[in-house]
Amino acid sequence: QVQLVESGGGLVQAGGSLRLSCAASGRTFSYYAMGWFRQAPGKEREFVAAISGSGDLADYADSVKGRFAISRDNAKNTMYLQMNSLKPEDTAVYYCGARSYRNTVTIVRNYDYWGQGTQVTVSS
């Protein structure tokens, strides 16, 4: 069992930055591929970024490439999402997920564990 807790969301103006954190507990963190997803009102949960257990592989949605950066600190059992040049369309609840897998996981239904989410609101 893995417990995930997101933090770092908030209200920011367009062009601003936020850093989200996902703290994990329960099992050996490095055994888990991790990812960030987001869900806007009335829309399905969508992939944002994913990182492998060791942190050497990462994938990004086209909509965030060049603006967002995913990373993890296995010594601290924490994953991060640095979000720069934020746009109003980035507004959503952001969730972190975990799956026991070596490489990156980009499909939402393949994740086994989820956090409760953190709200990100970007004003124009």
Side-chain angles (χ1 to χ4, degrees), residues 75-90:
K76 295 182 178 180
N77 287 6
T78 303
M79 176 182 64
Y80 305 96
L81 184 68
Q82 178 65 44
M83 304 186 296
N84 299 325
S85 301
L86 282 161
K87 304 175 181 179
E89 51 263 44
D90 295 318

Side-chain angles (χ1 to χ4, degrees), residues 7-24:
S7 62
L11 173 64
V12 65
Q13 288 188 333
S17 299
L18 283 174
R19 188 175 84 154
L20 306 183
S21 298
C22 174

Side-chain angles (χ1 to χ4, degrees), residues 1-47:
Q1 193 78 355
V2 175
Q3 293 80 43
L4 304 173
V5 179
E6 302 97 334
S7 62
L11 173 64
V12 65
Q13 288 188 333
S17 299
L18 283 174
R19 188 175 84 154
L20 306 183
S21 298
C22 174
S25 61
R27 301 292 295 271
T28 304
F29 185 59
S30 61
Y31 289 177
Y32 289 83
M34 302 289 294
W36 287 101
F37 289 74
R38 65 189 182 187
Q39 188 166 15
K43 295 187 177 181
E44 293 186 352
R45 191 169 298 189
E46 66 174 5
F47 168 70

